[in-house]
């Protein structure tokens, strides 16, 4: 998120099953310090997760080991496959061979049986050449234990796109607080649309109509600046 010409970073933790954003905040850097502060805040709010899905960021990994040491984690198969496909296109010129290697690459992450995935990996290494083989050794086989569940963090990717769309203002964002307001508005929209499904059925909050409450307490006098020309009748219509 660019604020007055300076990049800031929105870190977000999303529930992989429902796609609901559990926590997000803005940080001036995308390093281990920022991820550590973010994970500590998450831990204070929610406790220790059973499983973490993430990409291969080294800064994230270092913070995860500090705050959530011993918690099982899985790397995103989508990112791994995307990077592998990129290297196949770069190093293979034969269209037929490239097509076959693409199919084998997909089998590494989508096949139901682990033994079949390993066989696809070995066949791909045999066909694709030394450079692709070296990449598979370092970035796939070395991380094999963290890819065995064949998971992807699409929920996080989808919510990241929502954030990206919300902050892509034509004239930029003037301040950190303005950026945080935008982030909170993206979160609130998800709460209004999907929040009740995350509340336990026994909770009194389950039956609260948040959307209706927001409409009933809408202060129309404070939103007239959204209109190009002030018109007194407009306030009556909104009310």
């Amino acid at each position: 998120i660019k604020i007055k010409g300076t990049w800031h970073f929105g870190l977000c933790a999303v529930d992989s099953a429902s796609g609901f954003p559990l926590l997000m905040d803005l940080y001036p850097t995308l390093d281990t310090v920022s991820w550590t502060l973010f994970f500590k805040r998450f831990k204070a709010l929610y406790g220790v997760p059973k499983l973490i899905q993430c990409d291969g960021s080294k800064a994230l990994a270092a913070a995860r080991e500090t705050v959530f040491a011993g918690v099982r984690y899985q790397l995103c198969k989508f990112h791994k496959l995307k990077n592998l496909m990129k290297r196949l296109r770069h190093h293979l010129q034969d269209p037929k061979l490239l097509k076959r290697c693409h199919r084998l690459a997909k089998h590494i992450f989508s096949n139901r049986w682990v033994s079949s995935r390993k066989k696809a990996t070995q066949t791909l290494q045999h066909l694709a050449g030394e450079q692709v083989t070296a990449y598979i050794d370092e970035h796939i086989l070395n991380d094999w234990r963290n890819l065995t569940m064949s998971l992807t963090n699409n929920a996080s990717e989808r919510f990241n796109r929502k954030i990206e769309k919300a902050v892509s203002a034509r004239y930029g964002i003037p301040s950190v607080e303005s950026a945080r307001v935008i982030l909170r508005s993206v979160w609130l929209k998800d709460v209004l649309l999907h929040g009740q499904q995350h509340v336990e059925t026994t909770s009194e909050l389950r039956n609260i109509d948040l959307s209706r409450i927001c409409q009933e307490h809408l202060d129309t006098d404070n939103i007239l600046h959204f209109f190009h020309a002030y018109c007194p009748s407009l306030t009556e219509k909104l009310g």
Side-chain angles (χ1 to χ4, degrees), residues 185-222:
S185 69
V186 176
W187 177 84
L188 180 59
K189 181 179 179 181
D190 253 71
V191 171
L192 294 174
L193 292 176
H194 311 295
Q196 288 187 334
Q197 65 179 320
H198 305 289
V199 179
E200 293 186 12
T201 55
T202 56
S203 173
E204 294 181 0
L205 294 173
R206 184 78 176 188
N207 298 319
I208 294 178
D209 190 341
L210 291 176
S211 180
R212 184 186 180 101
I213 291 173
C214 288
Q215 292 176 37
E216 289 177 348
H217 290 79
L218 184 68
D219 189 348
T220 55
D221 291 333
N222 286 333

Side-chain angles (χ1 to χ4, degrees), residues 31-37 39 58-69:
D31 57 12
T32 301
V33 174
S34 294
W35 276 113
T36 300
L37 292 172
F39 282 149
K58 293 182 179 180
L60 185 155
R64 185 191 62 230
E65 287 301 313
T66 299
V67 182
F68 296 121

Side-chain angles (χ1 to χ4, degrees), residues 3-213:
I3 302 173
K4 288 186 176 180
T6 302
W7 286 108
H8 290 67
F9 304 89
L11 305 189
C12 187
V14 180
D15 178 64
S16 61
S18 64
F20 189 72
L22 299 172
L23 176 65
M24 59 179 167
D25 204 353
L26 199 65
Y27 292 86
T29 60
L30 195 62
D31 57 12
T32 301
V33 174
S34 294
W35 276 113
T36 300
L37 292 172
F38 180 77
F39 282 149
K40 284 183 176 179
R41 188 178 172 199
F42 181 95
K43 187 176 183 179
L45 290 169
Y46 298 103
V48 179
K50 295 180 180 178
L51 176 71
I52 298 174
Q53 292 176 237
C54 56
D55 60 22
S57 165
K58 293 182 179 180
L60 185 155
R64 185 191 62 230
E65 287 301 313
T66 299
V67 182
F68 296 121
V71 175
R72 187 178 185 184
Y73 72 94
Q74 288 285 286
L75 297 172
C76 174
K77 70 174 183 180
F78 171 79
H79 287 93
K80 288 290 186 181
L81 179 59
K82 182 180 178 181
N83 292 335
L84 178 56
M85 291 293 197
K86 181 178 179 181
R87 279 157 180 79
L88 289 174
R89 290 192 296 269
H90 180 74
H91 293 294
L92 299 180
Q93 306 301 322
D94 185 345
K96 290 185 178 179
L97 178 60
L98 179 60
K99 184 176 181 180
R100 185 180 179 189
C101 288
H102 273 192
R103 187 164 57 249
L104 288 168
K106 291 179 180 178
H107 285 172
I108 294 174
F109 301 100
S110 62
N111 204 295
R112 180 179 179 183
W113 306 106
V114 175
S115 58
S116 298
R117 286 188 229 158
K118 286 188 176 181
K119 183 176 180 181
T121 305
Q122 293 168 353
T123 304
L124 179 60
Q125 285 185 304
H126 177 73
L127 293 173
E130 293 182 2
Q131 291 173 309
V132 175
T133 296
Y135 176 82
I136 293 174
D137 282 335
E138 182 177 356
H139 296 279
I140 295 178
L141 293 181
N142 281 353
D143 289 324
W144 192 261
R145 290 182 61 186
N146 303 315
L147 290 167
T148 54
M149 296 178 70
S150 195
L151 299 174
T152 184
N153 52 355
N154 281 341
S156 178
E157 295 290 341
R158 286 194 294 270
F159 198 77
N160 284 343
R161 286 193 290 270
K162 293 180 182 180
I163 295 175
E164 184 178 7
K165 184 177 180 180
V167 300
S168 59
R170 182 178 177 183
Y171 299 109
I173 299 174
S175 67
V176 171
E177 183 53 38
S178 297
R180 285 200 167 104
V181 169
I182 294 174
L183 291 178
R184 285 196 294 268
S185 69
V186 176
W187 177 84
L188 180 59
K189 181 179 179 181
D190 253 71
V191 171
L192 294 174
L193 292 176
H194 311 295
Q196 288 187 334
Q197 65 179 320
H198 305 289
V199 179
E200 293 186 12
T201 55
T202 56
S203 173
E204 294 181 0
L205 294 173
R206 184 78 176 188
N207 298 319
I208 294 178
D209 190 341
L210 291 176
S211 180
R212 184 186 180 101
I213 291 173

